[in-house]
Every structure is written in structure tokens, then in C-alpha cells.
Amino acid sequence: MKKKLTCLLLAMAMVFSLTACGSGGDSSGGESAEGQTYEWTASSGLAVGSSWDLGLLKFAELLNERSNGAITLTVHSGATLGSAKETLEGVQMGSIDFIVESSASLSNFTDAMSVFDLPYLFPATARKALSGEAAQGQLDALESIGMKGINYWENGIYAIGAVKPVKNLADLKGMRVRSIDSPLQADVYSALGAMPVVLAWGDIYTSIQTGVADAVSSTAVTNMYTQNFYEVAPYITLSNHGYSPAPLICSKSLWDSLSEDIQQLVMECAEEAREYHYQICDEQLAEYMAEMEANGAEFIEIDQTEWEAAVQPVYEKYVGEGGIDPVLVEAIQTDVEAVE
């Protein structure tokens, strides 16, 4: 009887040990304040060396240092874990622990992020405005789809890289402009007089090269540099027609399994990593623009007045009956005005 009891206790211990080990955010052996360690994964769709990648590496470094080695975060950049859709689904399922992804990609999962697709909603002061209650509320809304929004990073301010100069709306008329797979963003380009062409990220360069598209947008200048889009679309109009926040997200199943102390540690490290990410964004933008100009790219500034007027029908279509809460839009605009 004693031998059977001993075997049962050993079996229970093994089960507990196995439960405490593994990937996807479960704790594994080692030493922390709770007597556990954590092995987590993070995904980024942007290239190695991008601001997302470097920000996540800083996040990993801070987590490891401040947990006395108890937390290990392995960063996978360059879409090595899959497309935006696949990796976001991985976060929902708990197979990926953290991700940085644009609000535009998230809008295919939840209406909470659709508001950020509205054109000219944010000026250059967008970062500060994202700290307002309205934007934070949208971050909290991600919990309903199995994600814990940690804070906002960014994918930058949209520009238009084209095969010919675009200095006004007349120049843009009839041009085939790449859009992400978003009806709202496609309608923005239609309102501006262009013909939206939905293209996957990996198809943009060759599509412009072969004449399938005349311009690339729904992305920022830094991404035009890292993907060499400026080689085939060297005329870059600083239209500033959209700003793409990029939330840092944690799997809700992982988040809910963590103690308050570990959650607090994650939040503190994430805040510092975000500031580092913002610094990298600014440094890279200045550096990349200089390199692009040196290699033949031309940057074009515009009077945004006619552009902003042209996209008003997008607000009329999508705000209110179109599904985006007008109270939310007004609250965000109030937060923007408060930091301008």
C-alpha cells in the first residue's frame, strides 16, 4: 500500500512538472520571485532590424534583466512565424505569446481597431493622443477576442510612393494605388481619385515593377526603405493621410495565468521598450530618408487641405451607421486637440 501511494505521489509530481514546462507562455523550471521561469515567444511581421524588431529585443532584454533571468522572450521577426492573420490567430490560441501588429491588420479581427483606419484622424502628435482614454479603451476592447492590449507602438504615418510625381489630387487621379485588404482604406483612395488595388505585402515590389500598380500606400516611409519600394516608386508624397498605431499584444490566456507581480513587470518593461521603439522610429526615418534621397528618391510635400476635404465622404459612410461610434471619434479628436 505504501509503495502504491509513493508511486501515485511521484506521478502527480511529474504531471505538475510537465504542466509547468513548455512554450506558449507556460512557466518552466528555474528561479524567479515565484520560483518559476517563463519562456515566451514574440512575433513581428517587419524585418529584422526594424523598429518593431529592435523594440521587441529591448523588451526581451528588460524582462530578462528585471526578472533576474527568470523570463526569456525569443523574438521572431520578418514574418517567420506566419502572416499577420496567422500570427494574430496564434496569439488568440496561445501558441504565440506576444506580437506587435498594426491596427489595420487588427481591424480584420475586431471593429475596435477600425477607427484608426479613418483618414487624417491623427496629426504628427498621434503618440501623445494615443495615451488618452478613448484610444486606451480601444486597447482594452481587444480582450473580447482573446488578446490583452499592453500599449501602443506604431507603424508610422502613411505616404504614397509612386512611379510619377504626385503633387495634388489631379496627379493622383486614376492611378492604381496599393491598399491593404480593408474596405475603408480602399474607399480612402477612391475618394482621393485613385483606383485602389489590394496587394499582399510580398507582392508590392513586383506589382509596381510590372505595372500592376502605379503606387504603394497604406504604409510608412521607413517600410518603403526596408522593402526597397523606392527603387520602383521613387516619388514619395508625404500625404500623411493615415496613421497606423501598432499595439503590443499579449495572449489573454497567458496574461490571465500570470500573477499581479509578473503582470506589473511586463507592463513596466513594455513602457520602456515602447519609448525605445519610438526613438528608433525617429532615428530610422531621418536616416532612411537621407539614404533614399541619395539614391534618387524624391520627397514631395503637399497642401493637405484639399486632400482632407476629399475624404469626408469616408467619414459619412463609416462613422455612425457605418459602424464606427461617432462618440469615440469625437473623443479621439478631443484628445488630439489637447496635445496639439
Side-chain angles (χ1 to χ4, degrees), residues 11 41 57 61 105 126 136 166 173 175 195 205 227 233 235 247-248 256 274 281 293 318:
T41 57
L57 289 173
E61 175 188 325
S105 295
Q136 289 300 306
V166 175
K173 188 173 180 60
M175 288 185 67
M195 296 174 57
Y205 189 102
Q227 301 299 316
Y235 299 100
L248 171 64
D256 290 345
R274 177 180 64 178
C281 286
E293 283 186 308
Y318 288 94

Side-chain angles (χ1 to χ4, degrees), residues 71-95:
I71 298 174
T72 300
L73 177 67
T74 303
V75 177
H76 301 269
S77 290
T80 54
L81 295 184
S83 66
K85 180 178 184 292
E86 291 167 339
T87 48
L88 286 167
E89 288 173 346
V91 172
Q92 287 180 312
M93 294 185 293
S95 59

Side-chain angles (χ1 to χ4, degrees), residues 87-232:
T87 48
L88 286 167
E89 288 173 346
V91 172
Q92 287 180 312
M93 294 185 293
S95 59
I96 297 173
D97 301 308
F98 291 88
I99 189 172
V100 176
E101 190 50 76
S102 71
S103 58
S105 295
L106 277 161
S107 66
N108 290 320
F109 285 73
T110 170
D111 290 340
M113 289 287 134
S114 297
V115 66
F116 298 116
D117 286 340
L118 289 171
Y120 293 108
L121 180 64
F122 287 104
T125 52
R127 292 175 184 172
K128 292 181 180 179
L130 287 172
S131 298
E133 288 185 14
Q136 289 300 306
Q138 300 312 100
L139 200 62
D140 294 339
L142 294 177
E143 293 195 24
S144 66
I145 58 168
M147 302 178 186
K148 167 63 179 177
I150 303 298
N151 57 17
Y152 285 106
W153 296 22
E154 71 178 22
N155 196 25
I157 297 176
Y158 288 168
I160 298 174
V163 297
K164 67 176 186 178
V166 175
K167 299 180 179 180
N168 51 51
L169 292 185
D171 293 334
L172 190 63
K173 188 173 180 60
M175 288 185 67
R176 292 162 295 183
V177 178
R178 179 264 176 175
S179 170
I180 64 168
D181 188 8
S182 160
L184 192 159
Q185 289 205 20
D187 282 346
V188 169
Y189 299 116
S190 295
L192 293 172
M195 296 174 57
V197 179
V198 175
L199 293 172
W201 188 246
D203 296 333
I204 295 173
Y205 189 102
T206 55
S207 293
I208 296 175
Q209 193 176 40
T210 58
V212 173
D214 304 310
V216 55
S217 195
S218 292
T219 194
V221 170
T222 49
N223 298 332
M224 293 182 187
Y225 172 85
T226 58
Q227 301 299 316
N228 298 317
F229 295 153
Y230 70 95
E231 294 177 352
V232 290

Side-chain angles (χ1 to χ4, degrees), residues 289-304:
M289 288 182 71
E291 289 191 28
M292 292 163 80
E293 283 186 308
N295 284 283
E298 178 183 337
F299 291 94
I300 301 168
E301 296 190 5
I302 61 165
D303 178 356
Q304 293 179 189

Side-chain angles (χ1 to χ4, degrees), residues 300-315:
I300 301 168
E301 296 190 5
I302 61 165
D303 178 356
Q304 293 179 189
T305 305
E306 66 167 344
W307 295 60
E308 291 182 23
V311 298
Q312 287 311 300
V314 176
Y315 279 78

